[in-house]
Amino acid sequence: MTDDPKTGAWQNADARALGETQRQFDMDAVVGYILLIGVLIALVLVAGALIWRWMNTRTLWFDYKVTGMNLFELIVEEIHLAAKGAFRPRLLMSLGIAMLMLTPFIRVLASMVYFMAALRNWKYSVFTAIVLLTLTYSLFLR
Amino acid sequence: MISFELLFPVSIVAGFIGAMAGMGGGVVIIPVLTLLGVDIKHAIAISILSVIATSSGSASAYIRDHITNLKVGMFLEMFTIAGALTGAKITLAVSPKPLYIIFGLVLLASWLALLFARHQMGNTGPQDRLTRWLELEGSYPDQVLGKVVHYKAVRSYFGAPLMYLAGIIAGLLGIGAGAVKVLIHDLVMGLPPKVSTTTSNMIIGVTALAGASVYLVAGLVEPGLAAPVILGIAIGAFLGTRLLVRMSNQAVRRFFLFILLILAVEMIVRGVRGGL
């Protein structure tokens, strides 16, 4: 019977759960696409760097070293080199590594906005802030 | 001796085997790189970078399917990231020999966990106070069961410190340590298998990032190695995951698990002998 109170309760619970899922829909999609697009951009940059390197030198091996630099110093160094006219395949390669490492970071940043602005869940805003701060610390390590 | 032409196909195979066995590519590429003569710390650094790519790639689809629990993920990430920083710092400080042995032992333990994986349902009973305060519960639309599955996590006070240890393993060895994380989610926190696997996948990405940052500053990330390995593992894992979806054959999975077993034993033997 459709008016069976038990069945009705079940349906209500499921409908509520689905409702929560629906409300989360946008954020889940945003977080998912951030990860997908970030990784794809990183892979395309690395592949582009390799093709460029091959066209220039007929080798597929990068022999530069990254030493004593954190991610931001690496990015600054590469842009600095490029700005001085040394526009080389290693720029794409380093940016590929940087993009890869920034992808999970951007995902956490987006989650922060979600917990703060959309859900107004301060508990999880604080947790996300702790994750973000620890990651920022690790990216600025010396 | 090591060249792109060698490393690229090897990395594709490593990513493929990792995906088919239900683990990441890291557990395969690290032993292979060291066999090819790469120093184990450089291998670990490159592997952890590729872990970011594979975990983020697969996490993407699961999050969009509403299976991943963002709150469980965010809460536990606080602990795994701290662990990864600790683990990577330990790797920089120790000699290579114990790394081989620990790697082999962790691989062996993950192997056993995968082989004897129990697939119980998630907890639906009462929660402890801390876990309830943490709002660690949820529901997801299960396509196989054709209904919304509700679950309530438990014992987060025990899960959190264990996840710190899982983070140490990930940072120390440059792997996702997904099997360890899934085990904690399943057995300690009572998450349903699908939620624990997919949430662990999301956690692996940021955990690997923390470890990778330490290795980058230490100068262990060599772009020459990174290019073929990252691209190769991503392609191999993509192919493996696609094939895995179409196959339900346990025999095939056991074959790939067997390869992991050989790698685990081989790493332990090399560590003990010390010849490396």
Side-chain angles (χ1 to χ4, degrees), chain A residues 14 28 32 107 121 123-124, chain B residues 60 66 77 133-135 150:
Chain A
D14 272 3
D28 283 353
R107 191 268 288 171
N121 184 328
K123 206 182 292 172
Y124 273 84
Chain B
S60 160
H66 311 295
E77 278 166 9
W133 181 77
L134 289 168
E135 306 161 16
H150 302 265

Side-chain angles (χ1 to χ4, degrees), chain A residues 115-126:
Chain A
F115 283 124
M116 277 180 77
L119 287 188
R120 296 189 184 280
N121 184 328
W122 299 114
K123 206 182 292 172
Y124 273 84
S125 300
V126 171

